[in-house]
Amino acid sequence: MSRPPYIGLHVASGERRATAADIVASVQREIAGGGLPAGSRLPPVRALEKQLGLSKNTAQAAYDELVARGLVEAREREGVFVLAAARTDAPPPIAAPPLAAFVSPPLGPQEVPVRGMTMLSTVFIDPELLPTERIAECARSVLRERMPSLYDAQGYRPLREAIARRLTARGLEVEPDEIVVTTGSQQSLDIVARSLTTRRIAVESPVYGYAKLLFESLGHELIGLHLDPFHGIDLERWDRALARRPALAYLISSFQNPTGYSYTSAELRGVLELAERHGVAILEDDWGSDMLSDGEYRPMLRMLGGRRVLYVNNSFTKKLLPSLRVGFVAAAPELVPTLVAMKRLSTLGNAWLTEAVVAEFLDRGYYDTHLQALQRALDVRYAACLTALDELMPDGVRWTRPGGGPTLWLELPRSVDYAAIETHLARRGVHVSNASAAYVGEPHLHGFRIAYAYLPEDQMRAALTILGDGLRTLGR
């Protein structure tokens, strides 16, 4: 029986020689566009070899990939043929059960960079400063290994060992078995909050907004710990708040989010003493300490309070690549089984691949060289931001000088209507994050974050120029 003629195939590859990936992409595009209907016979391997000037192995690899994707089938002695798209018609419904009753969304839409919009308040670092190529190298290396069929619910062991070594070198004695790897710090906060026997948590006010919303969604009563980045912590006021005996105090002692404030040594000591007096456990969120340019680390609650202090870190998410979503929580050994169980109830276990890539990145020593380059770049941006604020802000505006972390806090005069300045900025392509949801009770600050780690100096200055002009106009 004669074979049907094959259909000519155009493979787009630009000026370079075509690859197997080019053939796959071209066939997939032609099928989707209707140019290769079901039953079409593709060119034989020898024809592709001659047409495109590539090896027989390359052409065969492309056809093998198309077979694996279910787009074509190889028939012995006949050739390679396009398959019909699989389709199963849904049967008519036999009943109409009601929609599930959900609560209103506790979050608005995700804030993502919009083309043409300057993100003045984001907590992220400029993607141009992130080591994407080296992460890709580590990913390729990991993918060449044999992937495990099972996952470790506590987290990839080599990554936990690498984290423990780094923390111990910083003076935070931690064993690998005391670490639970999580999907960023948010999952760490989630499993800790779910593990508490008493649903009452003390939080700084203002506080990291997603933590506040998470705790509230889990039914926790929140006790506000008044924080003013321009005057520090009123320990007597915190003493009265902690006397209400929350199960936990969630604290960001270095480069606090959203204000950028860092506790003084006296405040660290005072907070630890209050926690001991009132029987309040501490969960410390360390999201920014690796951004200090002088290579030193601030004293922290975990360092001064020992293993009883729960410690959360998401350095790999913020400083390597946000999409990796790798963080961890370090806890006393007797608390780890409950944390792992809560993690398993939520996700069973996290992806081995991303954890293995981060472990490879650490093992190669890339993380420290990346931090050095990142710190130098952020030093320049931080200094440029402060200079621009000094030159462009009108009287009555003030800001924190954190000396590290990715953001600082800008405080506006009370005479300025926040909604009006927010609208003014948006019309000129500048977005600021409204921090009103970050307070427990009435807001006592009147401002927003400035994201000097995200914006290059020229964009930062342009955005601050628009802000300064708007404040002068609206303040008249």
Side-chain angles (χ1 to χ4, degrees), residues 22-38:
D22 293 327
I23 298 172
V24 171
S26 296
V27 171
Q28 193 167 17
R29 185 166 51 250
E30 287 293 318
I31 292 174
L36 288 175

Side-chain angles (χ1 to χ4, degrees), residues 390-462:
D390 284 333
E391 294 175 1
L392 300 172
M393 290 302 104
D395 292 341
V397 179
R398 54 180 178 164
W399 50 89
T400 59
R401 297 174 180 266
T407 64
L408 55 80
W409 181 264
L410 186 84
E411 182 75 359
L412 306 177
R414 289 285 174 178
S415 58
V416 174
D417 181 84
Y418 186 94
I421 192 64
E422 189 176 26
T423 301
H424 173 87
L425 292 173
R427 287 173 178 166
R428 287 155 182 79
V430 178
H431 176 271
V432 293
S433 296
N434 192 318
S436 60
Y439 298 87
V440 179
E442 288 297 316
H444 56 274
L445 298 177
H446 189 63
F448 47 84
R449 288 186 302 249
I450 297 291
Y452 69 83
Y454 186 76
L455 297 174
E457 296 96 297
D458 57 341
Q459 293 183 30
M460 170 64 67
R461 189 172 188 89

Side-chain angles (χ1 to χ4, degrees), residues 61-255:
Y63 281 171
D64 289 344
E65 176 63 19
L66 288 166
V67 170
R69 296 189 183 193
L71 297 174
V72 304
E73 66 173 346
R75 302 175 191 169
E76 191 173 358
R77 297 190 184 89
E78 292 186 49
V80 178
F81 295 83
V82 175
L83 290 171
R87 177 189 173 98
T88 301
D89 292 329
I94 59 174
L99 284 174
F102 282 4
V103 300
S104 298
L107 297 175
Q110 180 181 352
E111 283 188 5
V112 295
V114 178
R115 187 176 181 84
M117 183 69 74
T118 300
M119 307 298 285
L120 191 56
S121 297
T122 181
V123 296
F124 293 111
I125 294 172
D126 186 350
E128 294 298 321
L129 301 179
L130 301 180
T132 52
E133 286 302 317
R134 286 187 169 177
I135 292 173
E137 290 175 23
C138 292
R140 287 189 288 268
S141 175
V142 167
L143 287 170
R144 285 192 290 269
E145 302 175 8
R146 181 179 178 182
M147 292 191 183
S149 59
L150 297 176
Y151 49 84
D152 185 339
Q154 189 168 343
Y156 185 50
R157 177 79 190 191
L159 177 57
R160 290 192 281 121
E161 291 173 346
I163 291 170
R165 288 193 296 271
R166 294 189 65 83
L167 294 181
T168 299
R170 288 178 50 183
L172 284 72
E173 293 187 8
V174 177
E175 298 294 331
D177 288 339
E178 297 172 334
I179 293 170
V180 181
V181 181
T182 58
T183 303
S185 62
Q186 195 71 13
Q187 188 182 39
S188 296
L189 304 183
D190 181 69
I191 61 177
V192 170
R194 291 177 187 275
S195 299
L196 297 173
T197 57
T198 301
R199 298 210 167 267
R200 186 181 305 120
I201 298 178
V203 299
E204 300 152 333
S205 181
V207 68
Y208 166 48
Y210 285 171
K212 176 176 177 284
L213 291 171
L214 170 66
F215 298 152
E216 289 175 335
S217 73
L218 294 174
H220 285 277
E221 175 193 353
L222 297 186
I223 297 173
L225 300 171
H226 185 277
L227 179 65
D228 185 332
F230 301 100
H231 298 95
I233 295 172
D234 183 341
L235 288 173
E236 291 185 2
R237 194 166 181 172
W238 282 34
D239 187 8
R240 294 191 295 272
L242 294 177
R244 295 172 58 185
R245 297 296 180 96
L248 185 78
Y250 168 65
L251 307 172
I252 308 173
S253 63
S254 291
F255 312 122

Side-chain angles (χ1 to χ4, degrees), residues 270-319:
V271 168
L272 288 168
E273 291 172 350
L274 291 177
E276 181 179 20
R277 182 189 312 159
H278 296 296
V280 177
I282 291 176
L283 172 61
E284 182 176 34
D285 189 341
D286 179 21
W287 79 308
S289 63
D290 281 344
M291 294 188 191
L292 277 172
S293 61
D294 59 8
E296 298 291 333
Y297 294 100
R298 294 181 182 275
M300 299 183 342
L301 293 166
R302 169 79 189 206
M303 190 181 299
L304 303 177
R307 277 185 160 91
R308 288 178 173 268
V309 175
L310 286 155
Y311 173 84
V312 168
N313 189 300
N314 71 339
S315 292
F316 309 128
T317 292
K318 284 289 183 290
K319 303 173 189 70

